[in-house]
Amino acid sequence: MWSVQELQKLCCACSSEPNWVKNNTSAFCFSGSHNLTVRSGEDAVLLCEDVTHTVPALLVWIRPELKSEGFIYFDRGDGSGESYQLSSYRGRVELRVPHMKDGNMSVVLKNVTMNDTGTYECRIEKGPPGRTRRGEPELITAIHLKVEDSGYMTGNTKDGGSEDGGSEDGHSRGRVGLLVAVSLFLCGVLVLVLVFIIVKYKRNSQNQSETL
């Protein structure tokens, strides 16, 4: 059994002022809330970890604002989790680390959409199921997820350039095209001038021959 003092030393994943909770079966650190921003179509990693490295009897991820009985993710080790999931999240959420090894309860939300923007809470029950009052697993962390449109970029483009990079590239291509057109026109004029000079030279030479 870990002591609170020992857990405090291990609480590197928690905030600078962690909130310690202790019940009859365990002690853990509530790591507070965190912000996460991803683009539409990407995968979002929702982090949650128990500093005691203990695999919980029950892990659930919920979105409290949905006011729904379904879960984002549900795992009590019996393979029944998918039947408790909201339909829009089935097949899209999986553990980041198989079997919650070392108490890592982070999940990966795949192919996010704008509708996935919201608050995600990681909650657990430790010890035998039902030891914590059913329906109220303990809160470990909360993630405030913001999904931006994949075409929206703040300061940087997807490949690392500036927002204005696209328009600048367009202007550059336009200038190059104009220079090429002008060059071709000047070459055409030069050819015409050379042809005119050659024809005139031949005529003069022919006139001189006839005079002789």
Side-chain angles (χ1 to χ4, degrees):
M1 183 69 179
W2 293 93
S3 68
V4 172
Q5 289 77 16
E6 289 171 327
L7 291 176
Q8 287 174 336
K9 295 178 182 179
L10 295 172
C11 194
C12 58
C14 296
S15 61
S16 58
E17 296 182 359
N19 299 313
W20 285 93
V21 179
K22 187 174 182 180
N23 55 32
N24 293 331
T25 61
S26 61
F28 57 88
C29 177
F30 170 58
S31 60
S33 59
H34 310 279
N35 297 322
L36 175 64
T37 301
V38 296
R39 292 176 182 160
S40 177
E42 294 180 343
D43 295 345
V45 178
L46 308 178
L47 298 177
C48 181
E49 187 170 359
D50 178 14
V51 296
T52 67
H53 303 298
T54 302
V55 176
L58 171 66
L59 165 66
V60 295
W61 279 88
I62 64 172
R63 281 186 63 184
E65 70 266 25
L66 293 182
K67 307 295 182 182
S68 172
E69 295 182 357
F71 298 92
I72 305 304
Y73 184 80
F74 182 99
D75 190 338
R76 62 182 177 190
D78 60 1
S80 63
E82 190 169 294
S83 62
Y84 293 94
Q85 277 185 297
L86 295 168
S87 59
S88 60
Y89 288 93
R90 288 176 187 168
R92 297 177 55 219
V93 187
E94 64 181 24
L95 286 172
R96 188 185 188 192
V97 177
H99 311 298
M100 293 180 278
K101 184 179 178 181
D102 296 327
N104 192 326
M105 299 166 291
S106 305
V107 295
V108 179
L109 175 58
K110 299 180 179 179
N111 192 27
V112 297
T113 68
M114 305 293 284
N115 292 331
D116 291 324
T117 294
T119 298
Y120 292 76
E121 292 182 352
C122 172
R123 292 177 173 268
I124 67 171
E125 282 186 7
K126 288 189 175 183
R131 181 68 62 85
T132 302
R133 188 168 55 172
R134 186 173 297 278
E136 295 185 2
E138 301 290 351
L139 176 64
I140 298 297
T141 192
I143 306 293
H144 303 295
L145 176 65
K146 179 180 180 182
V147 181
E148 296 180 343
D149 183 74
S150 57
Y152 174 79
M153 294 131 196
T154 305
N156 292 318
T157 60
K158 191 170 184 178
D159 59 0
S162 65
E163 270 188 343
D164 296 329
S167 59
E168 290 176 357
D169 289 343
H171 292 319
S172 297
R173 287 193 293 270
R175 288 194 292 269
V176 171
L178 180 60
L179 290 174
V180 170
V182 171
S183 298
L184 291 175
F185 174 78
L186 293 177
C187 287
V189 171
L190 181 58
V191 169
L192 289 176
V193 170
L194 289 175
V195 170
F196 175 79
I197 292 173
I198 291 171
V199 170
K200 186 175 181 180
Y201 175 80
K202 286 184 177 181
R203 285 181 180 177
N204 290 338
S205 298
Q206 186 176 2
N207 291 336
Q208 290 178 1
S209 297
E210 289 176 355
T211 301
L212 295 174

